[in-house]
Amino acid sequence: MVTGNIEMRHLTASAAHRSEVEAVIMAAADYNLLIEGVAPSALHVDDFFMSLPPGSQPSDKFIVGFYDSGVIVGIAEVVRGWNAPYKAIIGLLLLTPAARGGGRGRLALDAIETLARSWIGVTTLRIAVIDNNIAAFAFWRRMGFDETGERRPVEAPYLGAKVVLEKNI
C-alpha cells in the first residue's frame, strides 16, 4: 500500500524483517531512553513482534514497516478489535530520527487509518502515550486524537503513566 511518498508493507518475523525492525528501534534509541530510561536491545525487537494486549489473538496484530524510496524509516504495530470490536489500538508508531518531520508521521498514520478502515466495524483508533513523551502528545493531538480520560498508573518498564487517546476514523 502506498500513501504519498511512504510505502507501508506488512512485516513478518523473518530474519530480514527482524533486522529492519531492529535497525529502526536502534536508530530511534531516544524513544526508549525517554520512556524506559534504557537503551533499546534485542528484547525490544522481540517485544515488538510478540507482545499482545490482554485478550487479543496473534491474528489480530498487524505489523508494518514504512519505507521511503525503498529504505525502512519506521515501524508500527496495530491490533484490531482491542478493547472493543469497533476499536483498533496502535501499540507503537516509531520513526527514525532522520525520518521525523516533513509529514512522514502523518503519512504513516494515514496508511494506518486506511488499514483500520478496511476492517469491518472498526471506527475508532486508540493509542496510549507515556505522559513524559511531550512530543508524542503534540503529534497525536495534531492528528485529531483526544484524551479519553483513561490513565493507567506508572508500571515497569515505563517511567510515566499511560494516557489513552482516541480518534474516530
Side-chain angles (χ1 to χ4, degrees):
M1 173 183 307
V2 177
T3 305
N5 66 344
I6 294 287
E7 180 185 1
M8 184 173 80
R9 299 180 194 167
H10 172 72
L11 300 178
T12 66
S14 69
H17 286 164
R18 286 184 64 83
S19 178
E20 288 183 318
V21 167
E22 182 174 9
V24 171
I25 289 173
M26 296 307 173
D30 60 323
Y31 172 76
N32 276 84
L33 290 167
L34 177 65
I35 68 160
E36 293 182 13
V38 299
S41 70
L43 294 176
H44 291 95
V45 177
D46 292 341
D47 185 60
F48 177 75
F49 282 102
M50 303 305 294
S51 68
L52 282 169
S56 296
Q57 302 300 314
S59 60
D60 297 325
K61 184 171 178 168
F62 295 80
I63 299 170
V64 297
F66 299 100
Y67 296 77
D68 188 349
S69 302
V71 177
I72 193 164
V73 297
I75 56 175
E77 58 175 328
V78 186
V79 179
R80 176 180 51 201
W82 197 87
N83 62 353
Y86 66 94
K87 295 181 181 182
I89 188 164
I90 300 169
L92 178 68
L93 170 57
L94 184 65
L95 298 177
T96 63
R100 295 176 194 159
R104 288 183 190 92
R106 178 180 297 276
L107 291 172
L109 179 59
D110 287 348
I112 290 170
E113 288 181 9
T114 298
L115 173 66
R117 281 190 205 99
S118 75
W119 298 330
I120 296 172
V122 172
T123 60
T124 304
L125 273 178
R126 291 172 59 91
I127 187 150
V129 178
I130 304 302
D131 66 1
N132 67 344
N133 194 345
I134 305 306
F137 273 109
F139 171 78
W140 293 111
R141 287 184 181 122
R142 280 193 317 274
M143 298 301 108
F145 283 75
D146 296 309
E147 291 185 36
T148 65
E150 295 174 67
R151 186 177 181 91
R152 298 192 186 105
V154 178
E155 59 183 88
Y158 305 109
L159 299 177
K162 290 181 182 175
V163 179
V164 178
L165 296 94
E166 290 185 347
K167 176 183 181 179
N168 289 329
I169 56 167

